[in-house]
Amino acid sequence: MTGHSALPQPGAAPFTERTPRVVAARKLTRRAEREKTGRFLAEGANAVEAALAHDGKVYELFVTERAAAQHERLLATAHESGVPVSPITDRAADGLSETVTPQGIVAVCALVDRPQETVLKPGAKLVVVLVDVADPGNAGTVIRVADAAGADAVVLAGDSVDPHNGKCVRAAAGSLFHPAITRIRDVDAALKSCSAAGLRTFGAHGYADTELDQVTFDQPVAWVFGNEAHGLPQNVLDAVDLAVKIPMYGRAESLNLATAAAICVYTNAMAPNRAR
């Protein structure tokens, strides 16, 4: 860095695991505390870089000495954005991380989810809806897929995992800050909101009559994916405009959620380009 240091003055003692600000941040690993404060932790260089570029709020950046040396550009960006950068010990970093090998750089951010009426509105071309998805790694991977495919939004419906869960944030690899994200407890309301926004609802279902390669993508679509173990419940399959299955050419009986979502969403996203 040139002309300034994003870190406090040289010689300043790093925060420890007992420092009140670190203690407060550590509580954000719990969903109840995230909901209470409206904040969550984004760990790792990819997530921190995306958070700093996002138009949301980054309240503070914690960084170990080793991570500071590795990510000087990110620290400079934080400094230029007016984000406080606080040095922490390795042990404090361990407490803020939910991984075996912490990266040593963690941002305290405002929650990214938005009200459904600002997300599901006319003009959206591609939306991904997750219904009762329980595994945060799967949810984060699907959010990353949706981002890569250019989806406008991701809806976490029903009893789906909190997108601010640490494992979900890491699996999304920075993509949590790109597509609009909303949470809707009522699945039926989520589907109706998609329809009201002019989206056709396609439910991914392994026993559907219609195969993916038979579908024409000539209208905006909301892809609906279900729980990892049970798929979409019958009432949701009855409510969507079309149930679609991925054809299986080998001996595997099924695909995992993230893989199925990637195939469906990317097939949809590439269709307009193939038609050119």
Side-chain angles (χ1 to χ4, degrees):
M1 290 174 289
T2 59
H4 67 264
S5 172
L7 286 168
Q9 293 299 316
F15 292 168
T16 72
E17 69 278 8
R18 295 186 179 87
T19 302
R21 294 224 297 274
V22 175
V23 172
R26 169 62 180 164
K27 292 179 181 178
L28 298 176
T29 59
R30 302 196 297 266
R31 181 169 186 164
E33 189 68 16
R34 294 194 294 270
E35 300 288 353
K36 174 183 174 182
T37 62
R39 303 183 180 193
F40 76 106
L41 299 180
E43 180 189 1
N46 287 341
V48 169
E49 182 176 21
L52 290 171
H54 183 58
D55 59 4
K57 177 81 172 179
V58 178
Y59 295 99
E60 186 167 12
L61 184 61
F62 294 106
V63 62
T64 63
E65 183 179 4
R66 174 181 56 81
Q70 293 174 337
H71 304 294
E72 290 188 354
R73 182 179 58 81
L74 279 183
L75 270 60
T77 299
H79 178 86
E80 291 160 3
S81 302
V83 175
V85 178
S86 302
I88 57 174
T89 63
D90 289 337
R91 188 166 179 178
D94 289 344
L96 295 177
S97 175
E98 298 176 81
T99 65
V100 176
T101 55
Q103 295 190 42
I105 183 166
V106 183
V108 179
C109 309
L111 301 183
V112 300
D113 59 315
R114 293 160 44 184
Q116 68 181 74
E117 60 271 15
T118 69
V119 172
L120 296 175
K121 54 187 179 181
K125 301 297 184 185
L126 178 59
V127 170
V128 175
V129 182
L130 300 181
V131 176
D132 299 336
V133 171
D135 184 273
N138 277 334
T141 301
V142 174
I143 290 170
R144 187 176 183 181
V145 165
D147 179 25
D152 299 284
V154 176
V155 179
L156 291 112
D159 291 323
S160 287
V161 66
D162 177 11
H164 307 98
N165 173 289
K167 187 175 180 180
C168 183
V169 176
R170 290 191 301 276
S175 288
L176 190 71
F177 299 93
H178 297 158
I181 292 177
T182 190
R183 288 185 276 180
I184 305 176
R185 183 74 175 178
D186 187 328
V187 177
D188 186 58
L191 297 178
K192 288 179 178 177
S193 293
C194 288
S195 297
L199 296 153
R200 291 191 72 198
T201 52
F202 289 174
H205 178 52
Y207 299 99
D209 293 328
T210 302
E211 295 192 343
L212 182 60
D213 55 3
Q214 299 171 327
V215 178
T216 300
F217 299 103
D218 54 358
Q219 297 179 47
V221 173
W223 274 101
V224 186
F225 302 99
N227 175 271
E228 296 87 344
H230 308 296
L232 291 171
Q234 189 59 49
N235 65 307
V236 173
L237 290 170
D238 291 340
V240 297
D241 294 317
L242 183 67
V244 181
K245 69 179 177 182
I246 298 170
M248 303 298 236
Y249 303 117
R251 298 174 62 184
E253 293 184 359
S254 63
L255 296 167
N256 67 27
L257 169 64
T259 301
I263 292 170
C264 294
V265 173
Y266 253 92
T267 299
N268 194 150
M270 291 188 297
N273 296 308
R274 290 200 302 267
R276 290 175 184 171

